[in-house]
Amino acid sequence: MYRPTARSAAASWLAGTAVALVVQGVFPQRFAASTAWDFNAGWQREIAIWNLGTLVAGGVVVAGHDDPVRAQLRGLAVLSALFSANHAAAAVRTNKPGNWAWAVINAGGVITSVAGLSKSRR
């Protein structure tokens, strides 16, 4: 019986995440029409963003090129940047306070992540 290594199992899982990213990011209406949930552009983008952030962090870890904490922080920086942009776009369109707040909060996450990544490793 085939038993994958942890690294190959993680790589396989990330391949599925890549497929989900494409489905949610490129074909969100088509995906939503095939499920019990209605289409919601903002939430479909948020799901695609989570998938991308997971791929960034997981891909570096699986490749074995980096410290897992720094790899995770890269993924978190991607998440924060894209979440901030998604909320900012919604805030400009609707002027909803929650979108403004989360655009700013996520921008803070980007600043913190970049600052942490810019420090040299010890």
Side-chain angles (χ1 to χ4, degrees), residues 5 11 14 23 26 36 39 41-42 49-50 60 62 72-73 76 82 85 102 105 107 117:
T5 64
L14 289 171
V23 169
V26 181
F39 174 73
I49 290 166
W50 273 109
V60 175
V62 168
Q72 184 65 36
L73 190 53
L76 293 171
L82 295 175
W102 286 105
I105 290 165
L117 289 168

Side-chain angles (χ1 to χ4, degrees), residues 33-51:
S34 71
T35 69
W37 304 291
D38 290 333
F39 174 73
N40 179 303
W43 284 114
Q44 304 294 141
R45 274 191 303 277
E46 296 264 323
I47 293 166
I49 290 166
W50 273 109
N51 289 327

